[in-house]
Amino acid sequence: QVQLVESGGGLVQPGGSLRLSCAASGNIFSINAMGWYRQAPGKQRELVATITSRGSTNYADSVKGRFTISRDNAKNTVSLQMNRLEIEDTAVYYCNANRVATINGLLDFWGQGTLVTVSS
Protein backbone atom coordinates (compact mmCIF):
# COMPACT_ATOMS: atom_id res chain seq x y z
CA GLN A 1 0.00 0.00 0.00
CA VAL A 2 1.14 3.55 -0.70
CA GLN A 3 1.11 6.21 1.99
CA LEU A 4 1.62 9.96 1.75
CA VAL A 5 2.83 11.66 4.90
CA GLU A 6 2.76 15.45 5.12
CA SER A 7 4.57 17.76 7.49
CA GLY A 8 5.26 21.45 7.99
CA GLY A 9 1.90 23.01 8.68
CA GLY A 10 1.33 25.44 11.50
CA LEU A 11 0.48 28.97 12.54
CA VAL A 12 2.14 31.90 10.84
CA GLN A 13 1.56 35.64 10.69
CA PRO A 14 0.55 37.35 7.46
CA GLY A 15 3.61 37.94 5.31
CA GLY A 16 5.42 34.99 6.83
CA SER A 17 6.65 31.75 5.28
CA LEU A 18 6.10 28.04 5.73
CA ARG A 19 7.41 24.98 3.97
CA LEU A 20 5.27 21.89 3.51
CA SER A 21 6.76 18.51 2.73
CA CYS A 22 5.24 15.22 1.64
CA ALA A 23 6.85 11.82 1.35
CA ALA A 24 5.34 8.90 -0.53
CA SER A 25 6.24 5.41 0.61
CA GLY A 26 5.26 1.87 -0.30
CA ASN A 27 5.44 -0.26 -3.41
CA ILE A 28 5.95 2.53 -5.92
CA PHE A 29 7.42 2.08 -9.37
CA SER A 30 6.88 5.66 -10.49
CA ILE A 31 4.70 8.70 -9.89
CA ASN A 32 3.37 10.82 -12.74
CA ALA A 33 2.60 14.05 -10.94
CA MET A 34 2.64 15.23 -7.36
CA GLY A 35 0.93 18.24 -6.00
CA TRP A 36 -0.75 20.21 -3.27
CA TYR A 37 -4.41 21.01 -2.88
CA ARG A 38 -6.14 22.91 -0.13
CA GLN A 39 -9.56 23.17 1.42
CA ALA A 40 -10.65 26.15 3.46
CA PRO A 41 -13.63 25.96 5.83
CA GLY A 42 -16.87 25.95 3.89
CA LYS A 43 -15.13 25.76 0.53
CA GLN A 44 -14.32 23.06 -1.98
CA ARG A 45 -10.90 21.54 -2.29
CA GLU A 46 -8.82 23.46 -4.84
CA LEU A 47 -5.57 22.99 -6.65
CA VAL A 48 -2.59 24.90 -5.30
CA ALA A 49 0.31 23.57 -7.36
CA THR A 50 1.40 20.46 -9.22
CA ILE A 51 4.67 19.20 -10.63
CA THR A 52 5.25 16.38 -13.09
CA SER A 53 8.07 13.86 -13.03
CA ARG A 54 9.80 15.98 -15.66
CA GLY A 55 9.54 19.12 -13.55
CA SER A 56 6.71 20.91 -15.30
CA THR A 57 4.78 23.00 -12.82
CA ASN A 58 1.31 24.44 -12.60
CA TYR A 59 0.08 26.98 -10.04
CA ALA A 60 -3.22 28.45 -9.02
CA ASP A 61 -3.36 32.12 -9.97
CA SER A 62 -3.80 33.08 -6.34
CA VAL A 63 -0.39 31.67 -5.35
CA LYS A 64 1.72 32.47 -8.40
CA GLY A 65 4.85 34.37 -7.42
CA ARG A 66 4.46 33.45 -3.76
CA PHE A 67 4.55 29.64 -3.66
CA THR A 68 7.13 27.32 -5.18
CA ILE A 69 6.69 23.59 -5.65
CA SER A 70 9.64 21.23 -5.93
CA ARG A 71 10.12 17.50 -6.15
CA ASP A 72 12.73 14.82 -5.60
CA ASN A 73 11.87 11.91 -7.90
CA ALA A 74 14.45 9.61 -6.34
CA LYS A 75 12.96 10.07 -2.88
CA ASN A 76 9.31 10.39 -3.98
CA THR A 77 8.96 13.64 -2.09
CA VAL A 78 7.32 16.94 -2.93
CA SER A 79 7.63 20.25 -1.13
CA LEU A 80 5.79 23.54 -1.20
CA GLN A 81 7.60 26.69 -0.17
CA MET A 82 4.99 29.28 0.77
CA ASN A 83 6.11 32.90 1.07
CA ARG A 84 4.21 36.12 1.70
CA LEU A 85 1.37 34.15 3.20
CA GLU A 86 -2.03 35.79 3.35
CA ILE A 87 -4.98 35.18 5.63
CA GLU A 88 -6.79 33.73 2.62
CA ASP A 89 -4.18 30.95 2.45
CA THR A 90 -5.57 29.46 5.66
CA ALA A 91 -6.69 25.93 4.86
CA VAL A 92 -5.96 22.27 5.24
CA TYR A 93 -3.33 21.39 2.66
CA TYR A 94 -3.37 17.96 1.09
CA CYS A 95 -0.59 16.21 -0.76
CA ASN A 96 -1.57 14.28 -3.88
CA ALA A 97 0.25 11.68 -5.93
CA ASN A 98 -1.30 11.22 -9.35
CA ARG A 99 -1.10 8.06 -11.47
CA VAL A 100 1.18 6.17 -9.15
CA ALA A 101 2.42 2.99 -10.78
CA THR A 102 1.93 0.15 -8.30
CA ILE A 103 1.54 -3.60 -8.52
CA ASN A 104 -2.20 -2.93 -8.61
CA GLY A 105 -1.96 -0.56 -11.55
CA LEU A 106 -2.13 3.24 -11.80
CA LEU A 107 -3.72 4.76 -8.72
CA ASP A 108 -4.12 8.17 -7.08
CA PHE A 109 -3.31 8.79 -3.43
CA TRP A 110 -3.92 11.56 -0.91
CA GLY A 111 -2.24 12.53 2.29
CA GLN A 112 -4.13 13.08 5.52
CA GLY A 113 -3.81 16.85 5.33
CA THR A 114 -1.88 19.44 7.29
CA LEU A 115 -3.39 22.64 8.67
CA VAL A 116 -1.94 26.01 7.72
CA THR A 117 -3.29 28.96 9.67
CA VAL A 118 -2.34 32.49 8.72
CA SER A 119 -3.34 34.91 11.43
CA SER A 120 -2.07 37.90 13.32
Side-chain angles (χ1 to χ4, degrees), residues 21-118:
S21 296
C22 172
S25 62
N27 294 320
I28 299 171
F29 297 121
S30 65
I31 303 176
N32 175 44
M34 300 186 78
W36 292 92
Y37 293 72
R38 67 186 181 187
Q39 187 166 17
K43 295 187 177 181
Q44 290 187 330
R45 189 174 298 187
E46 62 178 5
L47 178 147
V48 177
T50 61
I51 184 168
T52 69
S53 58
R54 295 187 177 185
S56 295
T57 59
N58 181 43
Y59 294 92
D61 288 342
S62 60
V63 307
K64 283 181 181 177
R66 300 188 298 122
F67 291 10
T68 302
I69 191 169
S70 59
R71 175 175 174 173
D72 186 328
N73 290 332
K75 297 181 179 179
N76 289 328
T77 59
V78 63
S79 297
L80 184 70
Q81 178 65 41
M82 304 186 294
N83 298 327
R84 292 186 283 133
L85 282 160
E86 303 170 353
I87 292 175
E88 293 74 21
D89 295 318
T90 296
V92 177
Y93 284 70
Y94 296 91
C95 177
N96 171 261
N98 171 259
R99 294 186 66 189
V100 180
T102 72
I103 57 175
N104 296 315
L106 294 176
L107 301 172
D108 292 351
F109 295 92
W110 291 91
Q112 79 284 358
T114 185
L115 178 62
V116 172
T117 303
V118 184

